[in-house]
Coordinates of all heavy atoms in Angstrom, one line a residue:
K7 N -128.6 -260.6 24.9 CA -128.6 -259.7 23.7 C -127.9 -258.4 24.1 O -128.4 -257.7 25.1 CB -130.0 -259.5 23.2 CG -130.6 -260.8 22.6 CD -131.9 -260.5 22.0 CE -132.5 -261.7 21.3 NZ -133.9 -261.4 20.7
I8 N -126.9 -258.0 23.4 CA -126.1 -256.8 23.7 C -126.5 -255.8 22.6 O -126.3 -256.0 21.4 CB -124.6 -257.1 23.6 CG1 -124.2 -258.2 24.6 CG2 -123.8 -255.8 23.8 CD1 -122.7 -258.6 24.5
G9 N -127.0 -254.6 23.1 CA -127.3 -253.5 22.2 C -126.1 -252.5 22.1 O -125.4 -252.3 23.1
T10 N -125.9 -252.0 20.9 CA -124.8 -251.1 20.7 C -125.0 -250.2 19.4 O -125.9 -250.6 18.6 CB -123.5 -251.8 20.5 OG1 -122.4 -250.9 20.3 CG2 -123.5 -252.8 19.4
R11 N -124.3 -249.1 19.3 CA -124.3 -248.4 18.1 C -123.6 -249.3 17.0 O -122.9 -250.2 17.3 CB -123.6 -247.1 18.2 CG -124.3 -246.1 19.2 CD -123.4 -244.9 19.6 NE -122.9 -244.2 18.4 CZ -122.0 -243.2 18.5 NH1 -121.3 -243.0 19.7 NH2 -121.6 -242.6 17.4
G12 N -123.8 -248.9 15.8 CA -123.3 -249.7 14.7 C -121.9 -249.3 14.1 O -121.5 -249.9 13.2
S13 N -121.3 -248.3 14.7 CA -119.9 -248.0 14.2 C -118.9 -249.1 14.5 O -119.1 -249.9 15.3 CB -119.5 -246.7 14.9 OG -119.1 -246.9 16.2
A14 N -117.8 -249.0 13.8 CA -116.8 -250.0 14.0 C -116.3 -250.0 15.4 O -116.0 -251.1 16.0 CB -115.6 -249.8 13.0
L15 N -116.1 -248.8 16.0 CA -115.6 -248.8 17.3 C -116.6 -249.3 18.3 O -116.3 -250.1 19.2 CB -115.2 -247.3 17.7 CG -114.8 -247.1 19.1 CD1 -113.6 -247.9 19.5 CD2 -114.5 -245.6 19.4
A16 N -117.9 -248.9 18.2 CA -118.9 -249.4 19.1 C -119.0 -250.9 19.0 O -119.2 -251.6 20.0 CB -120.3 -248.8 18.7
L17 N -119.0 -251.5 17.8 CA -119.0 -252.9 17.6 C -117.8 -253.6 18.2 O -117.9 -254.7 18.8 CB -119.2 -253.3 16.2 CG -120.5 -252.9 15.5 CD1 -120.4 -253.1 14.0 CD2 -121.6 -253.7 16.1
A18 N -116.6 -253.0 18.1 CA -115.4 -253.6 18.7 C -115.6 -253.6 20.3 O -115.2 -254.6 20.9 CB -114.2 -252.8 18.3
Q19 N -116.2 -252.5 20.8 CA -116.3 -252.5 22.3 C -117.4 -253.5 22.7 O -117.2 -254.2 23.8 CB -116.8 -251.1 22.7 CG -115.6 -250.0 22.4 CD -116.0 -248.6 22.8 OE1 -115.1 -247.8 23.0 NE2 -117.3 -248.3 23.0
A20 N -118.4 -253.6 22.0 CA -119.4 -254.7 22.3 C -118.8 -256.1 22.2 O -119.2 -256.9 23.0 CB -120.6 -254.5 21.4
Q21 N -118.0 -256.3 21.2 CA -117.3 -257.6 21.1 C -116.4 -257.9 22.3 O -116.3 -259.0 22.7 CB -116.5 -257.6 19.8 CG -115.9 -259.0 19.5 CD -117.0 -260.1 19.4 OE1 -117.9 -259.9 18.6 NE2 -116.8 -261.2 20.1
S22 N -115.8 -256.8 22.8 CA -115.0 -257.0 24.0 C -115.8 -257.5 25.2 O -115.4 -258.4 25.9 CB -114.3 -255.7 24.4 OG -113.4 -255.3 23.4
V23 N -117.0 -256.9 25.3 CA -117.9 -257.4 26.4 C -118.4 -258.8 26.1 O -118.4 -259.6 27.0 CB -119.1 -256.4 26.5 CG1 -120.1 -256.9 27.5 CG2 -118.6 -255.0 26.9
R24 N -118.7 -259.1 24.9 CA -119.2 -260.4 24.5 C -118.1 -261.5 24.8 O -118.4 -262.5 25.4 CB -119.6 -260.4 23.0 CG -120.0 -261.8 22.5 CD -120.4 -261.7 21.1 NE -120.9 -263.0 20.6 CZ -120.1 -264.0 20.0 NH1 -118.8 -263.7 19.9 NH2 -120.6 -265.1 19.6
T25 N -116.9 -261.2 24.4 CA -115.8 -262.1 24.6 C -115.6 -262.3 26.1 O -115.4 -263.5 26.6 CB -114.5 -261.6 24.0 OG1 -114.7 -261.4 22.6 CG2 -113.3 -262.5 24.3
A26 N -115.6 -261.3 26.9 CA -115.5 -261.4 28.4 C -116.6 -262.3 29.0 O -116.3 -263.1 29.9 CB -115.4 -260.0 29.0
L27 N -117.8 -262.1 28.5 CA -118.9 -262.9 29.0 C -118.7 -264.3 28.7 O -118.9 -265.2 29.5 CB -120.2 -262.4 28.5 CG -120.8 -261.1 29.1 CD1 -121.9 -260.5 28.2 CD2 -121.3 -261.3 30.5
L28 N -118.4 -264.6 27.4 CA -118.2 -266.0 27.0 C -117.1 -266.7 27.8 O -117.3 -267.8 28.3 CB -117.8 -266.1 25.5 CG -118.9 -265.6 24.5 CD1 -118.4 -265.6 23.1 CD2 -120.1 -266.5 24.6
H29 N -116.0 -266.0 28.0 CA -114.9 -266.6 28.8 C -115.2 -266.7 30.2 O -114.8 -267.7 30.9 CB -113.6 -265.7 28.6 CG -113.0 -265.8 27.2 ND1 -112.0 -265.1 26.8 CD2 -113.4 -266.6 26.1 CE1 -111.7 -265.4 25.5 NE2 -112.5 -266.3 25.1
S30 N -115.9 -265.7 30.8 CA -116.2 -265.8 32.3 C -117.1 -266.9 32.6 O -117.0 -267.5 33.7 CB -116.8 -264.5 32.7 OG -115.9 -263.4 32.6
H31 N -118.0 -267.3 31.7 CA -119.0 -268.3 32.1 C -119.0 -269.5 31.2 O -119.8 -270.4 31.4 CB -120.4 -267.6 31.9 CG -120.6 -266.4 32.8 ND1 -120.7 -266.5 34.2 CD2 -120.7 -265.1 32.5 CE1 -120.8 -265.2 34.7 NE2 -120.8 -264.4 33.7
G32 N -118.0 -269.6 30.3 CA -117.9 -270.8 29.5 C -119.1 -271.0 28.6 O -119.6 -272.1 28.3
L33 N -119.7 -269.9 28.1 CA -120.9 -270.0 27.3 C -120.6 -270.3 25.8 O -119.6 -269.9 25.3 CB -121.7 -268.6 27.4 CG -122.2 -268.2 28.7 CD1 -122.8 -266.8 28.6 CD2 -123.3 -269.1 29.2
P34 N -121.5 -271.0 25.1 CA -121.3 -271.2 23.7 C -121.5 -269.9 23.0 O -122.3 -269.0 23.4 CB -122.3 -272.2 23.3 CG -123.4 -272.1 24.4 CD -122.6 -271.7 25.6
P35 N -120.8 -269.6 21.9 CA -120.8 -268.3 21.2 C -122.2 -267.9 20.8 O -122.5 -266.7 20.9 CB -120.0 -268.5 20.0 CG -119.0 -269.6 20.4 CD -119.8 -270.5 21.3
Q36 N -123.1 -268.8 20.4 CA -124.4 -268.4 20.0 C -125.3 -267.9 21.1 O -126.4 -267.4 20.9 CB -125.1 -269.6 19.3 CG -125.4 -270.8 20.2 CD -124.3 -271.8 20.2 OE1 -123.1 -271.5 19.9 NE2 -124.6 -273.1 20.6
N37 N -124.9 -268.0 22.4 CA -125.7 -267.6 23.5 C -125.5 -266.1 23.8 O -126.2 -265.6 24.7 CB -125.3 -268.4 24.7 CG -126.1 -269.7 24.8 OD1 -126.4 -270.2 23.7 ND2 -126.4 -270.2 25.9
V38 N -124.6 -265.4 23.2 CA -124.4 -264.0 23.4 C -124.4 -263.3 22.1 O -123.5 -263.5 21.3 CB -123.1 -263.6 24.2 CG1 -123.1 -262.1 24.5 CG2 -123.1 -264.4 25.5
E39 N -125.4 -262.5 21.8 CA -125.6 -261.9 20.5 C -125.5 -260.4 20.5 O -125.9 -259.7 21.5 CB -127.0 -262.2 20.0 CG -127.4 -261.7 18.6 CD -128.8 -262.0 18.2 OE1 -129.5 -262.6 19.0 OE2 -129.2 -261.7 17.0
I40 N -124.8 -259.8 19.5 CA -124.7 -258.3 19.4 C -125.8 -257.8 18.5 O -125.9 -258.3 17.3 CB -123.3 -258.0 18.9 CG1 -122.2 -258.3 20.0 CG2 -123.2 -256.5 18.6 CD1 -120.8 -258.1 19.6
I41 N -126.5 -256.8 18.9 CA -127.6 -256.2 18.2 C -127.2 -254.7 17.9 O -127.3 -253.9 18.7 CB -128.9 -256.2 18.9 CG1 -129.2 -257.6 19.5 CG2 -130.1 -255.7 18.1 CD1 -129.5 -258.6 18.4
P42 N -126.8 -254.4 16.6 CA -126.5 -253.0 16.3 C -127.8 -252.2 16.2 O -128.8 -252.7 15.7 CB -125.9 -253.1 14.9 CG -125.5 -254.5 14.8 CD -126.5 -255.3 15.5
I43 N -127.8 -251.0 16.8 CA -129.0 -250.1 16.8 C -128.7 -248.8 16.3 O -127.7 -248.1 16.8 CB -129.6 -250.0 18.2 CG1 -130.1 -251.4 18.7 CG2 -130.7 -249.0 18.3 CD1 -130.5 -251.5 20.2
S44 N -129.4 -248.3 15.3 CA -129.2 -246.9 14.7 C -129.6 -245.9 15.7 O -130.7 -246.0 16.3 CB -129.9 -246.8 13.4 OG -129.8 -245.5 12.9
T45 N -128.8 -244.9 15.9 CA -129.2 -243.8 16.9 C -129.3 -242.5 16.1 O -128.7 -242.3 15.1 CB -128.2 -243.6 18.0 OG1 -127.0 -243.0 17.5 CG2 -127.9 -244.9 18.7
Q46 N -130.1 -241.6 16.7 CA -130.3 -240.3 16.1 C -129.0 -239.5 15.9 O -128.8 -238.8 15.0 CB -131.3 -239.4 16.9 CG -131.8 -238.2 16.2 CD -132.9 -237.5 17.0 OE1 -133.3 -237.9 18.1 NE2 -133.5 -236.5 16.4
G47 N -128.1 -239.6 16.9 CA -126.8 -239.0 16.9 C -126.0 -239.4 15.7 O -125.3 -238.6 15.1
D48 N -126.1 -240.7 15.3 CA -125.4 -241.1 14.1 C -126.0 -240.7 12.8 O -125.3 -240.4 11.9 CB -125.3 -242.7 14.1 CG -124.5 -243.2 15.3 OD1 -123.4 -242.8 15.5 OD2 -125.0 -244.1 16.0

Side-chain angles (χ1 to χ4, degrees):
K7 291 184 178 181
I8 301 174
T10 179
R11 293 166 60 191
S13 70
L15 177 57
L17 291 170
Q19 294 181 161
Q21 185 59 52
S22 295
V23 174
R24 178 177 181 270
T25 299
L27 284 165
L28 294 175
H29 288 174
S30 295
H31 302 290
L33 298 172
Q36 65 269 22
N37 276 30
V38 183
E39 181 182 4
I40 294 175
I41 310 291
I43 298 173
S44 174
T45 71
Q46 192 174 6
D48 293 309

